[in-house]
Each structure stands twice: as structure tokens, then as C-alpha cells.
């Protein structure tokens, strides 16, 4: 593996040179040293921001940005008098979330994107989920307006993240570390944009340099919706570290090659072994060494593994077992024979892996079929229990209704019986009343008949009395000379008759 190389340069990057590191090599030094252009009068008003850029697998450039402090460029101030006096058209955007792509940030800048000469994406030391952007504007007014409009503004209405801006004093590159031999095309600055193939000219359009040190026109990169680089596909969003699904530890992790379960090894809590005992998934990959362990065979399944030094395939626990027959390392056979032996071994290993995979897949098929059968049986039991429960509930409801109807019927029967008894009583009473009415009518008719007889007798008597009076009057008229001797007795008799008739009427 190539060693890291660092060489020296004399002049740090300044505002006039932009954000690109010098063409000469860099030397590691004190990252807090200010450039010669920094004035000692403002050294107490600044703070250092250490950053790095580049693809960590190829080349990594380190540096430091001197920023005006928050109390100098207050985030709540919007007037020009509250901004730093010795500021430059250099602005640093701190803490941009990793999920925000370059196109999203260009869209967030809005119309200010046309006033930007250069943007460079850097990574703060010790910060993995955020990145920062160094911006150089055409004029100081553009930088001031950008600061006033976008400082402390939310990136999105759906998120709580806000844009935090600080003015920069200068930028210094302190070290350049090469982790791999870069190709000649990538060792020099590209004169053209990889998207549109036009020259990268700051005067015509702004330039954005990604975190992996590839430069594009802002208008070109704004159409790239992915968070990766269009050239090298390096993604600014690093994958999350795996943890055990049970105890959340990040050490000694094993992942099941069948279902993807991540568990810790036996030197921690042993959740990977517990997963094998529960599911019979006997193959597990160690995340650190990328080797597969067979729990059933209690050994590694590898015959060849990848070397960490040069990336080549080497034999696991290699030793010269065929020294007596002649070995290439011992000078016993030629290169063609060694290559044929290696190919045959690789073919045998592939066949063995295929057989192992076929057997494991067959076992997994039986295992999952048994799980499906258990689920089916459990589902049928649940369905039968649900049907039985529904039938019982329905029977209970019907029984409750039946009991209610029986109770109502009994009540109605009692009521009917009482009504029948009352009917008989009232019939008897009605008969008695009819008989009593009949006797009353008979007595009344008899009395009426008696009264009619008495009335007839009385009328007869009255008529007889009148006739007798008329006869007496007429006889007196004939015998006017004869004295009325029986006038008094007749008057008495008449009085007695009238009293008797009165008594009868009463």
C-alpha cells in the first residue's frame, strides 16, 4: 500500500487565488497559523475552523479557515453597521445536512447563484453527518446581501435546520495526504466542466468544487439530483455504521448471509449464535474480516480470502503442503502449471460453494415451508376459534332474545288470565245488574198499573160526583119549595171522598 506523501510550499491560499490549493505540494504545519495577509488587529476577533476535502481513499487535503466570531457578525443583525468592518466577500456556510444535495443547495441560494464566483465543499474535522461550503462572491455587496437574506433561514419549511453563515478572513491549506496513486488525469486540474465540457471560467459562471475535489459549473451541478459526484461517484453521505439488532453494540459484529440479521459475536453478548440456534441459518459473515463462518461445521468456509495488503486472493492459513510434488514458490513447477492448478482449485471452490449454497437453500426452503405450514395451521386455528367465538356470541344473543321473549310471553299469559278472571266477574255483575234492573222495571210497571187503576176509580168517582151534583141541582130546581135535607151529609161524603183520593195519590 503506498505511503502518505507530504511536501512543502511557502505561500498559503489567499482571496485572490480562490479556494484551490497551490500547485506546489503542501506541508503539515500548525493549522491555527494565520496567513501573512491576516492582520494582528483582528486576530482576537476570529476563530479557526479545521477542514478536510478529497476522497479519503485517494487524496485528502487538510486546511484551516479563519472565521469572524459569532459575536462580531451577529446572526440577528441585518444592518451593514453590525457586520465585521474588515470583512471580505468570503462567506462560510456551516453545518449543511448531508441529505441536502448540491442541487438542493444551489436551489436554496436562489438568485444569488449568479453572483457567486466559486464554491468549495469541505468536511469539518470530527463531523460526519454535515458538510460546510466556502463561497467567494463577485463583490462585497453581494456577500452582504447573501448574509442578510439567508442567515438563520430554514433550509426547508418541513425541517428545523437553519443556514448558519459566517464571514471568512482567509483560507489556509496545511497538508495533502495521498492514500493511493492517482491517475495522471486526476493529478492535474481539469480545464473543462465534466458535464458540459466547457472551460471552467469564473467570469462567465460560478464554479462548485465537490468534497472529492472535482469542479463543475453551478448551472451544471444544479441539475444533478444525486448526492454523489458525477465523476468518481463518491458520496458525501457516508453509510451508517452497523450495530447489533439486539444490544446495539458496534463491535465484533456478524451478519447472517441468509436473512441479513446483524448480531454480536461470542465475545460480546452472542446474539449471532442465538440467531443461528433459533433459525438454523448456519452461515454468518464477520463484518470486520469479511470471512464467513459455518456454525454447523464449526469452521470458516473459505479456502481463498482477499489479502488486505494488495487485494489479491490468497489461501487461508497458507502453507506449502505440496512441497514434495514441487511448488511454484519453491521453484518446482512452471508458471503455466501453477496457473492451471490455481484455476482448478478455484473451480473446485466454486463447485463447493455452489453445492453448499444449494444445500443451504434447500434447508432454508424446508425451514420456510415448515414456517408457512405452521402459519397456515395457526391461521386455520385462529379462523376456527373466531368462527366458534362468533357462533357462541350469536347463540348467546339468540338465547338472550329467547329468554326475553319467554319472559314477555309469561307476562302476557298472566295478564290474559287476569283479564279472563275479570271478564267472568264483570259478566256476573252484569247479570246481577240486569236481574236487578228487571225486577225494578217489573215493580215499576206493577206500581204504574196500580196507579192507573186508582186513577180510573178516582175519575169514575169524580164523574159520578159531578153527575150527582147536576142531578141534585136539577132536582132542587124542580122542587124549589122543598128544603135540602141531605145537603150536609152529601157535603161530608164529598169531603171524605176527596181526602181518600188525596191519600191514594200520595
Amino acid at each position: 500500500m503506498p505511503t502518505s506523501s507530504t511536501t512543502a510550499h511557502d505561500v498559503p491560499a489567499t482571496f485572490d487565488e480562490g479556494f484551490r490549493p497551490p500547485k506546489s505540494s503542501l506541508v503539515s504545519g500548525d493549522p491555527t497559523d494565520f496567513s501573512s495577509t491576516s492582520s494582528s488587529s483582528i486576530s482576537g476577533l476570529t476563530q479557526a475552523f479545521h477542514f478536510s476535502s478529497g476522497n479519503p481513499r485517494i487524496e485528502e487535503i487538510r486546511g484551516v479557515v479563519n472565521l469572524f466570531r459569532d459575536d462580531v457578525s451577529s446572526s440577528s443583525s441585518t444592518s451593514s453597521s453590525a457586520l465585521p468592518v474588515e470583512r471580505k466577500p468570503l462567506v462560510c456556510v456551516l453545518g449543511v445536512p448531508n441529505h441536502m444535495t448540491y442541487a438542493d443547495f444551489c436551489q436554496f441560494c436562489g438568485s444569488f447563484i449568479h453572483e457567486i464566483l466559486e464554491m468549495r465543499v469541505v468536511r469539518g474535522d470530527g463531523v460526519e453527518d454535515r458538510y460546510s461550503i466556502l463561497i467567494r462572491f463577485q463583490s462585497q455587496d453581494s456577500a452582504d446581501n447573501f448574509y442578510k437574506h439567508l442567515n438563520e433561514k430554514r433550509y426547508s419549511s418541513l425541517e428545523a435546520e437553519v443556514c448558519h453563515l459566517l464571514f471568512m478572513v482567509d483560507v489556509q491549506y496545511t497538508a495533502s495526504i495521498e492514500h493511493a496513486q492517482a491517475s495522471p488525469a486526476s493529478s492535474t486540474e481539469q480545464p473543462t466542466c465534466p458535464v458540459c465540457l466547457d472551460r471552467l471560467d469564473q467570469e462567465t459562471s460560478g464554479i462548485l468544487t465537490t468534497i472529492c475535489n472535482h469542479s463543475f459549473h453551478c448551472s451544471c451541478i444544479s441539475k444533478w439530483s444525486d448526492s454523489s459526484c458525477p465523476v468518481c461517484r463518491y458520496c458525501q453521505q457516508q453509510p451508517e455504521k452497523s450495530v447489533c439488532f439486539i444490544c446495539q453494540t458496534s463491535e465484533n459484529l456478524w451478519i447472517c448471509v441468509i436473512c441479513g440479521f446483524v448480531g454480536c459475536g461470542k465475545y460480546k453478548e452472542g446474539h449471532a449464535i442465538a440467531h443461528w440456534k433459533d433459525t438454523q441459518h448456519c452461515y454468518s459473515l464477520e463484518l470486520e474480516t469479511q470471512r464467513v463462518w459455518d456454525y454447523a461445521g464449526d469452521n470458516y468456509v473459505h479456502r481463498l480470502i482477499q489479502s488486505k495488503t494488495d487485494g489479491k486472493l490468497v489461501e487461508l492459513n497458507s502453507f506449502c503442503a505440496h512441497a514434495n510434488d514441487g511448488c511454484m514458490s519453491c521453484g518446482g513447477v512452471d508458471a503455466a502449471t501453477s496457473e492451471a492448478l490455481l484455476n482448478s482449485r478455484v473451480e473446485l471452490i466454486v463447485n463447493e460453494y455452489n453445492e453448499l449454497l444449494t444445500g443451504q437453500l434447500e434447508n432454508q426452503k424446508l425451514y420456510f415451508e415448515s414456517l408457512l405450514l405452521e402459519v397456515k395451521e395457526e391461521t386455520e386455528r385462529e379462523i376456527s376459534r373466531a368462527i366458534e367465538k362468533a357462533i357462541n356470541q350469536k347463540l348467546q344473543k339468540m338465547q338472550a332474545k329467547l329468554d326475553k321473549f319467554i319472559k314477555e310471553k309469561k307476562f302476557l299469559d298472566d295478564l290474559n288470565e287476569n283479564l279472563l278472571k275479570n271478564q267472568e266477574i264483570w259478566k256476573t255483575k252484569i247479570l246481577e245488574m240486569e236481574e236487578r234492573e228487571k225486577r225494578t222495571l217489573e215493580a215499576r210497571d206493577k206500581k204504574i198499573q196500580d196507579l192507573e187503576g186508582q186513577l180510573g176509580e178516582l175519575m169514575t168517582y169524580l164523574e159520578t160526583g159531578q153527575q150527582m151534583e147536576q142531578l141534585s141541582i136539577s132536582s132542587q130546581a124542580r122542587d124549589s119549595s122543598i128544603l135540602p135535607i141531605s145537603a150536609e151529609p152529601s157535603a161530608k161524603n164529598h169531603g171524605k171522598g176527596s181526602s181518600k183520593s188525596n191519600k191514594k195519590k200520595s
Side-chain angles (χ1 to χ4, degrees):
M1 183 175 181
T3 57
S4 302
S5 61
T6 57
T7 53
H9 80 97
D10 297 331
V11 182
T14 62
F15 164 68
D16 296 333
E17 297 172 354
F19 296 139
R20 291 181 176 80
K23 294 182 180 180
S24 60
S25 301
L26 301 176
V27 63
S28 60
D30 185 4
T32 59
D33 292 341
F34 287 32
S35 66
S36 58
T37 59
S38 301
S39 175
S40 60
S41 61
I42 64 173
S43 61
L45 304 178
T46 59
Q47 57 183 353
F49 171 69
H50 302 273
F51 70 90
S52 63
S53 64
N55 192 335
R57 298 180 180 179
I58 300 176
E59 182 184 11
E60 189 173 5
I61 299 175
R62 297 186 178 274
V64 60
V65 179
N66 298 314
L67 304 170
F68 285 98
R69 296 183 181 274
D70 290 339
D71 52 0
V72 176
S73 56
S74 176
S75 61
S76 61
S77 301
T78 56
S79 61
S80 301
S81 60
L83 300 177
V85 178
E86 300 183 10
R87 65 186 182 278
K88 299 177 182 179
L90 303 176
V91 177
C92 178
V93 185
L94 296 174
V96 181
N98 265 347
H99 63 80
M100 194 171 185
T101 63
Y102 306 125
D104 294 337
F105 185 79
C106 292
Q107 185 179 3
F108 173 74
C109 293
S111 59
F112 293 102
I113 197 71
H114 303 291
E115 302 176 0
I116 295 176
L117 294 178
E118 184 180 0
M119 289 192 294
R120 186 176 187 87
V121 182
V122 297
R123 185 189 305 106
D125 292 349
V127 181
E128 298 181 356
D129 59 342
R130 297 174 183 274
Y131 63 90
S132 299
I133 301 180
L134 311 180
I135 306 177
R136 185 161 65 97
F137 288 89
Q138 295 178 355
S139 62
Q140 188 63 51
D141 293 337
S142 301
D144 294 344
N145 292 331
F146 182 83
Y147 180 87
K148 294 175 184 177
H149 286 83
L150 298 183
N151 188 32
E152 298 299 329
K153 181 180 179 181
R154 296 171 64 177
Y155 290 110
S156 173
S157 60
L158 302 178
E159 299 179 3
E161 300 286 347
V162 296
C163 178
H164 186 50
L165 303 178
L166 288 177
F167 282 98
M168 295 187 294
V169 180
D170 57 12
V171 181
Q172 286 184 317
Y173 294 94
T174 58
S176 175
I177 304 174
E178 294 183 359
H179 298 283
Q181 184 65 32
S183 62
S186 61
S187 61
T188 60
E189 182 181 358
Q190 295 183 1
T192 59
C193 174
V195 178
C196 64
L197 301 181
D198 289 340
R199 296 187 61 84
L200 294 173
D201 189 1
Q202 297 179 359
E203 301 298 332
T204 57
S205 62
I207 298 175
L208 185 143
T209 303
T210 61
I211 201 169
C212 53
N213 295 332
H214 290 116
S215 299
F216 305 87
H217 290 132
C218 292
S219 58
C220 296
I221 197 66
S222 61
K223 301 176 183 179
W224 185 258
S225 59
D226 196 5
S227 60
S228 61
C229 175
V231 176
C232 64
R233 302 298 180 181
Y234 176 73
C235 185
Q236 64 189 16
Q237 293 184 0
Q238 298 300 319
E240 297 181 357
K241 294 183 178 180
S242 300
V243 294
C244 177
F245 287 176
I246 307 300
C247 62
Q248 305 301 319
T249 183
S250 59
E251 299 178 358
N252 192 18
L253 296 179
W254 296 76
I255 180 172
C256 176
V257 299
I258 305 298
C259 65
F261 176 85
V262 179
C264 55
K266 63 181 180 180
Y267 299 109
K268 288 295 182 179
E269 300 293 335
H271 293 127
I273 302 176
H275 174 72
W276 163 62
K277 293 179 180 179
D278 294 338
T279 62
Q280 298 301 314
H281 295 174
C282 59
Y283 295 113
S284 184
L285 174 69
E286 187 179 9
L287 296 181
E288 183 177 0
T289 62
Q290 301 295 312
R291 292 188 295 179
V292 178
W293 178 263
D294 181 11
Y295 288 106
D298 198 21
N299 58 2
Y300 286 104
V301 301
H302 293 275
R303 301 295 181 269
L304 296 177
I305 61 175
Q306 189 176 12
S307 174
K308 292 184 177 180
T309 57
D310 54 4
K312 296 182 179 180
L313 292 177
V314 297
E315 186 177 0
L316 180 64
N317 298 328
S318 61
F319 57 92
C320 189
H322 53 281
N324 296 331
D325 300 333
C327 178
M328 179 181 177
S329 61
C330 301
V333 294
D334 56 0
T337 305
S338 176
E339 184 177 0
L341 292 175
L342 179 61
N343 292 333
S344 63
R345 285 188 179 184
V346 171
E347 185 177 358
L348 290 175
I349 291 172
V350 171
N351 294 333
E352 183 180 359
Y353 268 102
N354 291 334
E355 292 177 359
L356 288 173
L357 182 60
T358 303
Q360 187 66 19
L361 290 176
E362 186 67 25
N363 293 334
Q364 290 304 309
K365 177 184 177 182
L366 297 176
Y367 170 72
F368 284 111
E369 284 180 353
S370 63
L371 289 181
L372 289 175
L373 183 60
E374 292 178 0
V375 171
K376 184 177 179 181
E377 293 176 354
E378 182 65 23
T379 304
E380 290 178 355
R381 287 194 295 268
E382 290 289 339
I383 292 173
S384 61
R385 283 197 293 267
I387 293 174
E388 184 179 358
K389 184 177 180 181
I391 292 174
N392 291 334
Q393 291 179 353
K394 191 172 182 180
L395 289 176
Q396 289 177 358
K397 291 181 179 178
M398 293 178 66
Q399 186 64 33
K401 289 183 179 179
L402 182 60
D403 295 339
K404 182 179 178 181
F405 291 153
I406 291 174
K407 187 176 180 180
E408 291 180 355
K409 182 177 179 299
K410 185 178 179 181
F411 172 75
L412 293 175
D413 291 340
D414 295 339
L415 182 61
N416 189 26
E417 185 178 357
N418 293 329
L419 290 175
L420 291 175
K421 290 180 180 179
N422 292 334
Q423 184 181 9
E424 295 295 332
I425 293 172
W426 282 106
K427 283 182 178 180
T428 305
K429 289 183 177 181
I430 289 172
L431 292 175
E432 292 178 354
M433 291 176 64
E434 289 179 350
E435 291 179 358
R436 189 167 52 252
E437 184 69 21
K438 185 178 179 180
R439 289 195 298 267
T440 304
L441 291 175
E442 291 177 354
R444 188 185 60 182
D445 293 339
K446 186 178 181 180
K447 189 174 181 180
I448 289 173
Q449 291 177 359
D450 294 340
L451 291 176
E452 287 179 352
Q454 293 178 4
L455 182 59
E457 293 177 355
L458 180 60
M459 293 299 294
T460 304
Y461 177 76
L462 290 175
E463 290 177 356
T464 305
Q466 289 179 359
Q467 291 177 0
M468 291 180 66
E469 286 180 359
Q470 291 178 0
L471 289 175
S472 61
I473 293 172
S474 62
S475 63
Q476 287 178 1
R478 285 191 306 263
D479 297 329
S480 58
S481 62
I482 300 172
L483 292 175
I485 298 172
S486 60
E488 183 177 356
S490 64
K492 289 180 181 180
N493 292 332
H494 178 73
K496 289 180 182 180
S498 63
S499 63
K500 287 181 183 180
S501 63
N502 291 330
K503 286 181 182 180
K504 287 183 180 180
K505 287 182 181 180
S506 63

